[in-house]
Each structure stands twice: as structure tokens, then as C-alpha cells.
Amino acid sequence: MSARALPSLADVDWPVRTERLLLRPATHDDLEVIWHAWRRREDVGRWMNNPWPDLDVYLERLGASEKLATILAVELHDGSGSRWDGRVVMDLHVRVMDSWAQSDVVEAARATKANLGWSMDPEVRGRGLATEAVLAALSVCFDSLRLHRVEADCYAPNSASAALMERVGMTREGHQRAVTLHRDLGWVDQYSYAMLDTDWQTRQEARHA
């Protein structure tokens, strides 16, 4: 039996367009734009595992080829003619991973799930753009890459992130108590969310019913 071709973001037909957004692989130039626009802000770094107050360190860490290959830039194209039209307003991280498996079926579990992460320019929040972008990322994962499962997590006090995951149809599967140390809040709880390919299919069928 021939080896299964492993899904890769490099194989997706980019760019991916939604009603108002365009998703594409990020470039080194995008990283600098993103840092200047919002990644250096304290209100954004508050919920980042790795805040990047220094541009050189940010570019060194995220600009490495292996890391950059997991980052998508999200451009706003709402046709409004505003100063935001055509600008990068969000970054999405899609890391394809192996699922846990017993040793005799480990090959079948390779590259079958993804972990999602994101950050957005606070200046464009409140317009439903994050929901639109994450739904597009889920479509990439399930419709293009044919993954089995997509996961994401957040600090429990980060209610906006938890609400976003619930809006797109992800299920809260875990609530770990005082599991992570936050620089300002001390030991805090963490929520874990996930969506299965069958959940996505059911959601899509309901939308088109």
C-alpha cells in the first residue's frame, strides 16, 4: 500500500476569499506590518502566550521558515473604500499535527488534526471579521486539507476568544483549573475547544438546508 499524502497548507489553492476577507500565506513583510499595527500593543499581548515587545525578536522567532509556513495573513476587502480596505487586519496560525495513536496505526494518524490561533487589530473588532476569518480557516482545515479534528484553547478570563470559538461551532471539551500562569492574573483556568470533521459537515448541511 502506498503511503498517504500528508496534507499541507502549501497545497491549498490560495488565496481563500470570503465575503469581506482574503486569506493567504503570510510573508516576512506581513510580519513587520502586523507587529507595528497590533502585535506590539499591550492589550493584544495580554492574551498572547508569547508577547513580542521587540520587533527583532518577533521577526527572528516567527520569520523562521517552519513557523512562517503556519501563519496566514488576513486582508480586509469590504469594498468600503476606507483606510482599512486591502490591509492586513488579522493573523491566523494553522499548525497541522499528528493525532495520538497506537503504534500499529500511527501512520494513519499523521497530520490529521490542526491547532488554531489568531490575533486581530483591535481597531477593527466588533464587525464580525474574526468569526468570518476563523470559519474560513476551519473550511481550509476540513474542506481543503480533509483533517479529522481542529483544536484551539484560551485563558478562561479571555471571554472574547471563548465566545468566538463558540460562535463558529467549536465545542468546549476541557476546563483545566489553575493550569497556566498568567503574568498579570497569576494562576488561571484554561478552556480547550475542538471541532470534528463530522461537526463541520453537519454545520454545512444545516446552512444549506
Side-chain angles (χ1 to χ4, degrees), residues 117-164:
W118 51 80
S119 71
M120 169 176 264
D121 191 329
E123 300 301 320
V124 297
R125 288 176 182 164
R127 300 167 59 177
L129 297 173
T131 301
E132 193 171 323
V134 174
L135 283 171
L138 289 170
S139 177
V140 167
C141 291
F142 291 122
D143 298 329
S144 298
L145 302 182
R146 301 295 179 183
L147 300 182
H148 165 64
R149 177 181 170 90
V150 174
E151 301 171 344
D153 51 52
C154 68
Y155 298 104
N158 187 359
S159 57
S161 188
L164 171 58

Side-chain angles (χ1 to χ4, degrees), residues 49-170:
N49 287 337
N50 296 298
W52 306 107
D54 184 274
L55 175 59
D56 290 337
V57 174
Y58 170 74
L59 294 177
E60 179 183 356
R61 300 286 178 84
L62 294 191
S65 58
E66 182 176 331
K67 187 69 174 179
L68 187 61
T70 70
I71 304 174
L72 304 179
V74 181
E75 298 178 10
L76 175 60
H77 291 270
D78 62 2
S80 67
S82 73
R83 67 189 181 94
W84 297 106
D85 205 22
R87 290 177 58 175
V88 174
V89 295
M90 186 173 182
D91 63 291
L92 277 163
H93 297 241
V94 183
R95 185 160 62 100
V96 179
M97 307 166 61
D98 298 342
S99 297
W100 184 90
Q102 293 177 304
S103 58
D104 53 338
V105 290
V106 69
E107 286 301 314
R110 290 184 61 199
T112 53
K113 70 176 181 178
N115 182 270
L116 294 187
W118 51 80
S119 71
M120 169 176 264
D121 191 329
E123 300 301 320
V124 297
R125 288 176 182 164
R127 300 167 59 177
L129 297 173
T131 301
E132 193 171 323
V134 174
L135 283 171
L138 289 170
S139 177
V140 167
C141 291
F142 291 122
D143 298 329
S144 298
L145 302 182
R146 301 295 179 183
L147 300 182
H148 165 64
R149 177 181 170 90
V150 174
E151 301 171 344
D153 51 52
C154 68
Y155 298 104
N158 187 359
S159 57
S161 188
L164 171 58
M165 288 184 271
E166 292 174 7
R167 281 199 304 274
V168 300
M170 301 183 81

Side-chain angles (χ1 to χ4, degrees), residues 29 38 50 146 196 204:
D29 289 342
W38 71 86
N50 296 298
R146 301 295 179 183
L196 301 178
Q204 296 307 98

Side-chain angles (χ1 to χ4, degrees), residues 4-15:
R4 177 174 65 92
L6 299 181
S8 168
L9 287 177
D11 299 327
V12 175
D13 186 16
W14 302 109

